[in-house]
Amino acid sequence: MISGNLKKEFEILLGEKNVMSDEVSRMNYAYDAAVLDPVMPALVLRPESSEQLGDVLRLCGENGIPVTVRGAGTNLSGGTIPYKNGVVLLTNAMNKIIEINEADMYAIVQPGVVTANFAAAVAAKGLFYPPDPGSQKVSTLAGNVAENAGGLRGLKYGVTKDYLMGMDFFDAEGTLVKTGSKTVKCVTGFNVGGLMVASEGCLGVFNEITLKLIPPPKASKSMMAVYDSVADATESVAAIIAAKIVPCTLEFMDNFTIRAVEDYAKAGLPVDARALLLIEVDGHPGQVADEAAVVEEICKKHNASRIQVAKDDEEKNKVWEARRAALSALAKLKPTLVLEDATVPRSQIPEMVRGLDTVAAKFGLSIGTFGHAGDGNLHPTILCDRRDTKEWHKVEAAIEDIFDLALNLGGTLSGEHGIGIAKSGYMAREVGEGSMNYLHKIKNAVDPKGILNPGKVIGD
Amino acid sequence: MNDISNLRATLSELDDLLVNCMRCGMCQSVCPVFQDSMLEGDVARGKLALIDGLAKRMIDSPVAVKERLDKCLLCGSCEANCPSGVKITDIFIKARTVLTAYIGLSPVKKAIFRGTLIHPRFFTGLLSMGAKFQWMATSKADPFLGTSCSKIMSPLIGNRHFLPLAKRPLHKDYSGVDTGKGTAGMRVAFYPGCVVDKMLPQVGHAVIKVLEHHGCGIYLPKNQGCCGIPALASGDEASFLKLLKHNLKPFSQGNYDVLVTPCATCTSTIKKLWPKMAAKISPEAEKKAQRIADRTMDISEFLVKTFDVDLSAHAVVGEKKTVTWHDPCHLKKSIGVSAEPRTILKGLPGYEYAEMNEADTCCGNGGSFNLLHYDTSSRIGAKKRENILATGADVVATGCPACMMQMTDMLSQGHDPVAVKHIIELYADAL
């Protein structure tokens, strides 16, 4: 429990307006985007500076108060749902871009900077920050690092971890720890930054993050390929990669999703098609033209019934409009949407799609599948009504089947949404008990009181 | 006070609507109030969670929940961008009504809605008295924009630069107009709305000039009542229904082809809320309201869809000016009208059109939001002012009197030489 005295200490530290204890404020930070029950925190704290952030952690450490850090609260696995009687620590008052360095191509940011705002500021300087998670318009960069967020460009440009050069963070006692550098090369000490990526707030609280920037591609070309069979579509994916072409985006959409999008957005999609591929290649104009031609050829060879190459920006936008509408279109069909992200090696995509159909049939559930075919990260999306208890039990069983399916194909539980609470119980299936013990040892060593986002990733 | 379990039961009726929010949080990117405060309680997701929490016994403070719900511009940005298509405005209005019934209407609002607004004749009379005596309490704030400010410290007015009540409201000049079909072969019902009638009668005069120019017959029944949105937004459903009943009568008659208003909020209320709410009166009332709603159009939309509005061949008087456009939330996000006003502005003689940044971002007025949260409202309005000034425009045009009041206040505070005009004034001037 948090005593009145401790609350006062927080108020002296942060000012009264940044210490919220009333019922409705606590309710407002009891949930995130995961389909899980809310948990009310005891307090909501909002530091406005590094000093305040460090002091908050020192106080929480001294008093053994559980801390759950929250950016925009868009987490899909419950990573930002607070611990009972713990505090929620908001980062959104620390949202400054400290530096964008064009000469050395890096940027230093505070934790609460919104991803899309950062990408736009970087683009204004003629540089490029590629990670583009679906929630980028609201998600924060610290949240992206804590979850190792991906996005549509993962295949060619990688994910958030590929852009983390260095950071400093506060440990469970409020001590500032520094790792990495602004330099391209840096082998000073353990690669703690690598450990902090995807640590989901369990190992430290980020203060300043140094991110790598790259020059933007000069040209790009988009196309849509329509297929009468899922196998043809997924084999096209494998063939494109085998031809040594790495498109920046290679997205898949199944028939269920195509129909949902067409019903919703009237984008002129072929509702009879079994699958669609949306492909974009980018780079030097000459290279783009060559690669686009080869990709078109490969799709044709693999029985694409139609290929539509975008002639201008407007047509290009239309191609991607359909993909952007996918989640909305599915979301409107049923009250509850469970968005999974079990990921397989891309060669296993045909098997994965087949397996998902089997799971849907077995439980009599509606599952729409779309996602990042190029990197094996599909999003099977289960549509249901969480108020229907019987159906919900089926959904839970189906999710378990999907996890097993992905693991049997050599894949992983989560490509980009994180483990949080939702998947922590399944961790051992993927990595084994020995690995779990190792993770617990690391956690106990750096956070002996267990105050940093307890219960997440590795469980209690 | 009523029993809280009754309140929870009534809120639970919203469950079928509430359950559609998947808590994705995308509304954070478009909510003007959230962007000012960065607090979850200010964004749609947070407010929906509070209604849900109250219904499901997770929290027990109806008053605090209502305070959060009231801190909303009802601009509809969240709903227009919601991936799940949650009927956010419907939920908010219903929740405000339920909570107001439980907590009670504030004394000020009770006096305004129940004592005056629902009695249109008395309301009109009261305000015309006010117009005669307002000089005693106000002084001129900006001669260019024609604003006033309060001479004495007034908690209700604060530092606002507001448009004074018109010396001669519109209904003094036009009361009960009822002409035939007109040379265009159509009869247009005209609903000016309260602000145009009482503060901006020149906008009403412009509408009439334009309708006459295009040969439309005009139907303007006397003693029109307020569209009701201020009452409903405050959760006073009873007053809203009284006003609706009052208005249904004249507008169910008149055999007109189209009903136009120069007020985005009135248009949106008539089109979207009248039929829904009239169902609570009777099936016949609903049918009547639907008939009215189906024929209701924003004035710009009506003109562009019916006539050739390109006036660019007209002679230009004086120097060329620049005009920019602000999209009222209730025009673009609520009823999807955004291309038509631009078509009119681009066809005006003597004007260059310049698009402003974030033209469709809320100006921050939000009706009574401006009264309850003037600081937040002003900060949101200040951004709009910057976007207007950045275009270098001489005139900012819009299609909603409430937005005009807000932009006038913001520009007047900075003594900026930018005129605020209703688009129909510019069009009428160019005829």
Side-chain angles (χ1 to χ4, degrees):
Chain A
M1 283 304 284
I2 292 174
S3 67
N5 279 344
L6 183 56
K7 192 188 152 209
K8 270 219 179 78
E9 276 195 72
F10 281 128
E11 283 171 351
I12 292 166
L13 189 64
L14 304 174
E16 273 180 43
K17 75 173 168 48
N18 288 326
V19 179
M20 293 166 258
S21 59
D22 60 293
E23 191 188 54
V24 294
S25 295
R26 291 186 295 116
M27 178 76 222
N28 273 143
Y29 298 99
Y31 52 82
D32 59 19
V35 191
L36 292 168
D37 291 334
V39 178
M40 300 260 277
L43 279 183
V44 180
L45 306 173
R46 183 155 76 157
E48 294 180 342
S49 68
S50 295
E51 290 70 29
Q52 288 184 351
L53 182 62
D55 285 341
V56 164
L57 279 153
R58 180 181 49 76
L59 275 179
C60 288
E62 283 168 7
N63 294 279
I65 307 292
V67 181
T68 298
V69 188
R70 182 186 176 101
T74 54
N75 191 286
L76 287 160
S77 53
T80 37
I81 294 181
Y83 201 73
K84 207 167 174 257
N85 294 324
V87 301
V88 165
L89 183 52
L90 297 179
T91 60
N92 68 7
M94 294 176 67
N95 60 354
K96 287 186 188 59
I97 299 171
I98 295 166
E99 181 186 5
I100 296 177
N101 191 310
E102 291 162 79
D104 292 322
M105 296 210 289
Y106 69 82
I108 301 177
V109 297
Q110 285 192 320
V113 174
V114 171
T115 314
N117 295 350
F118 175 66
V122 166
K125 301 244 176 188
L127 287 166
F128 184 33
Y129 178 71
D132 58 345
S135 55
Q136 60 178 330
K137 276 190 191 163
V138 297
S139 69
T140 62
L141 288 166
N144 291 168
V145 175
E147 299 294 324
N148 192 12
L152 267 62
R153 299 192 185 110
L155 173 60
K156 179 170 182 177
Y157 292 102
V159 295
T160 305
K161 73 169 181 206
D162 299 305
Y163 296 86
L164 181 71
M165 297 175 78
M167 62 157 62
D168 53 31
F169 63 89
F170 289 104
D171 70 5
E173 287 156 358
T175 307
L176 195 65
V177 181
K178 185 178 180 305
T179 178
S181 165
K182 298 170 195 169
T183 56
V184 173
K185 294 177 177 176
C186 170
V187 291
T188 311
F190 298 153
N191 181 16
V192 179
L195 184 61
M196 299 313 287
V197 166
S199 63
E200 303 193 17
C202 297
L203 301 177
V205 178
F206 309 156
N207 177 45
E208 287 181 6
I209 302 169
T210 305
L211 295 166
K212 180 171 85 175
L213 307 175
I214 62 171
K218 289 201 167 63
S220 65
K221 202 159 203 173
S222 299
M223 64 186 87
M224 175 171 81
V226 181
Y227 293 88
D228 295 330
S229 98
V230 173
D232 282 338
T234 51
E235 275 156 25
S236 300
V237 173
I240 291 167
I241 310 285
K244 309 281 183 291
I245 292 172
V246 185
C248 68
T249 308
L250 214 180
E251 294 288 309
F252 169 88
M253 226 184 253
D254 73 353
N255 175 263
F256 189 96
T257 311
I258 296 168
R259 281 184 289 133
V261 170
E262 188 51 29
D263 268 358
Y264 162 63
K266 310 270 176 265
L269 296 185
V271 288
D272 296 330
R274 298 310 301 166
L276 278 187
L277 289 181
L278 304 169
I279 309 164
E280 182 163 309
V281 288
D282 70 358
H284 189 273
Q287 174 203 358
V288 167
D290 290 353
E291 291 190 346
V294 176
V295 169
E296 206 179 331
E297 198 53 44
I298 290 174
C299 293
K300 265 188 207 152
K301 224 166 106 187
H302 285 84
N303 309 317
S305 58
R306 182 153 68 89
I307 298 168
Q308 205 176 306
V309 182
K311 286 184 206 68
D312 48 35
D313 279 353
E314 199 182 321
E315 281 193 29
K316 190 156 114 188
N317 208 23
K318 253 194 157 161
V319 167
W320 293 108
E321 209 174 295
R323 169 62 180 85
R324 281 194 294 267
L327 191 65
S328 294
L330 292 171
K332 288 185 175 75
L333 297 179
K334 289 267 183 80
T336 310
L337 174 146
V338 180
L339 184 65
E340 281 304 331
D341 71 326
T343 301
V344 293
R346 59 183 155 241
S347 61
Q348 299 296 329
I349 288 264
E351 277 307 311
M352 183 70 182
V353 173
R354 251 193 296 277
L356 288 169
D357 282 345
T358 312
V359 173
K362 177 178 165 191
F363 294 100
L365 292 169
S366 305
I367 303 184
T369 297
F370 63 97
H372 324 305
D375 52 33
N377 178 201
L378 291 178
H379 290 306
T381 304
I382 309 178
L383 306 169
C384 56
D385 185 338
R386 66 174 181 239
R387 297 170 298 179
D388 179 343
T389 329
K390 241 170 130 186
E391 187 189 43
W392 186 246
H393 287 315
K394 284 197 231 169
V395 172
E396 287 178 319
I399 292 171
E400 202 169 337
D401 273 19
I402 293 173
F403 290 159
D404 285 336
L405 172 68
L407 293 179
N408 286 335
L409 294 171
T412 180
L413 293 174
S414 176
E416 56 187 2
H417 295 168
I419 298 297
I421 312 171
K423 299 178 190 174
S424 60
Y426 302 96
M427 274 280 286
R429 288 192 201 186
E430 180 171 339
V431 299
E433 288 301 335
S435 311
M436 290 306 290
N437 285 340
Y438 188 77
L439 297 184
H440 277 288
K441 278 187 215 160
I442 293 177
K443 169 77 173 165
N444 291 340
V446 300
D447 181 19
K449 288 185 181 170
I451 65 158
L452 297 175
N453 214 10
K456 311 296 155 53
V457 189
I458 52 173
D460 277 311
Chain B
M1 280 208 185
N2 297 316
D3 184 1
I4 191 159
S5 54
N6 286 341
L7 171 72
R8 294 198 212 267
T10 321
L11 285 176
S12 297
E13 289 168 15
L14 290 168
D15 195 50
D16 281 340
L17 296 174
L18 284 170
V19 73
N20 290 315
C21 171
M22 55 180 177
R23 305 280 187 266
C24 70
M26 292 311 285
C27 39
Q28 295 172 87
S29 70
V30 292
C31 174
V33 183
F34 175 79
Q35 277 164 15
D36 179 65
S37 72
M38 307 284 276
L39 289 172
E40 179 81 15
D42 287 339
V43 77
R45 174 176 72 168
K47 292 178 162 79
L48 295 171
L50 292 181
I51 300 169
D52 200 40
L54 189 56
K56 295 197 174 129
R57 301 173 183 276
M58 287 197 66
I59 49 174
D60 306 299
S61 5
V63 175
V65 171
K66 183 163 181 300
E67 262 174 41
R68 297 294 198 281
L69 284 182
D70 284 345
K71 199 177 168 198
C72 166
L73 292 153
L74 292 177
C75 69
S77 303
C78 47
E79 189 167 330
N81 290 282
C82 176
S84 306
V86 180
K87 304 242 175 298
I88 300 167
T89 320
D90 284 359
I91 297 174
F92 285 176
I93 286 182
K94 170 89 199 228
R96 284 184 184 194
T97 305
V98 174
L99 285 164
T100 303
Y102 177 81
I103 297 163
L105 202 59
S106 78
V108 174
K109 284 186 174 171
K110 201 180 256 174
I112 296 173
F113 299 149
R114 305 226 168 129
T116 57
L117 198 62
I118 60 168
H119 310 294
R121 218 179 293 267
F122 175 61
F123 175 53
T124 299
L126 191 72
L127 288 188
S128 61
M129 292 277 288
K132 290 196 181 80
F133 294 105
Q134 62 185 331
W135 60 270
M136 293 171 69
T138 58
S139 48
K140 294 230 183 318
D142 186 291
F144 181 75
L145 284 154
T147 49
S148 301
C149 54
S150 184
K151 270 184 194 168
I152 41 169
M153 283 293 285
S154 155
L156 200 63
I157 296 172
N159 296 323
R160 288 174 181 77
H161 287 193
F162 55 93
L163 290 169
L165 289 166
K167 287 207 179 80
R168 196 174 166 80
L170 186 70
H171 67 265
K172 286 271 184 215
D173 292 312
Y174 296 98
S175 184
V177 180
D178 192 356
T179 65
K181 278 249 173 209
T183 52
M186 63 191 327
R187 203 167 135 81
V188 177
F190 177 30
Y191 182 88
C194 302
V195 181
V196 166
D197 180 46
K198 292 159 184 79
M199 294 167 97
L200 300 163
Q202 65 275 25
V203 173
H205 288 286
V207 171
I208 288 168
K209 178 179 171 189
V210 169
L211 292 177
E212 282 176 344
H213 167 85
H214 285 295
C216 300
I218 298 172
Y219 174 61
L220 196 160
K222 44 169 127 166
N223 195 23
Q224 299 184 14
C226 162
C227 73
I229 192 64
L232 192 62
S234 299
D236 185 0
E237 190 178 284
S239 297
F240 180 87
L241 292 176
K242 278 213 177 102
L243 287 162
L244 177 52
K245 264 188 214 159
H246 177 93
N247 286 322
L248 278 184
K249 210 172 152 200
F251 289 106
S252 305
Q253 303 161 1
N255 195 28
Y256 53 88
D257 302 286
V258 182
L259 186 155
V260 297
T261 96
C263 171
T265 305
C266 294
T267 312
S268 162
T269 305
I270 296 172
K271 283 189 85 67
K272 295 177 84 171
L273 293 172
W274 279 16
K276 219 177 283 178
M277 298 300 290
K280 297 193 174 208
I281 302 172
S282 68
E284 296 78 58
E286 185 187 8
K287 214 180 273 171
K288 280 183 186 171
Q290 192 62 54
R291 272 273 295 147
I292 298 170
D294 291 344
R295 287 178 290 170
T296 301
M297 277 172 119
D298 164 66
I299 183 73
S300 298
E301 184 191 11
F302 167 68
L303 290 176
V304 171
K305 287 189 172 159
T306 320
F307 305 106
D308 176 10
V309 294
D310 187 0
L311 306 178
S312 53
H314 286 212
V316 179
V317 187
E319 258 175 71
K320 260 216 167 202
K321 287 181 177 171
T322 305
V323 63
T324 189
W325 168 257
H326 160 70
D327 285 300
C329 296
H330 291 151
L331 209 53
K332 185 174 176 188
K333 288 161 202 142
S334 179
I335 58 169
V337 173
S338 65
E340 291 86 352
R342 288 174 171 80
T343 305
I344 292 179
L345 293 176
K346 285 173 186 168
L348 285 180
Y351 284 98
E352 275 307 326
Y353 178 73
E355 181 80 16
M356 73 168 93
N357 270 339
E358 301 176 331
D360 64 353
T361 299
C362 181
C363 67
N365 179 282
S368 58
F369 181 91
N370 176 279
L371 297 176
L372 291 169
H373 303 284
Y374 186 60
D375 286 355
T376 307
S377 174
S378 302
R379 284 193 298 270
I380 297 169
K383 283 192 206 158
K384 181 55 69 179
R385 170 178 170 255
E386 280 168 28
N387 282 325
I388 295 168
L389 295 180
T391 61
D394 305 287
V395 180
V396 54
T398 191
C400 175
C403 302
M404 289 173 73
M405 285 161 70
Q406 172 80 344
M407 292 192 292
T408 304
D409 183 11
M410 293 302 121
L411 292 163
S412 175
Q413 303 271 2
H415 298 288
D416 306 311
V418 183
V420 179
K421 293 277 183 189
H422 193 289
I423 184 167
I424 200 70
E425 294 180 81
L426 300 178
Y427 185 75
D429 285 348
L431 290 173

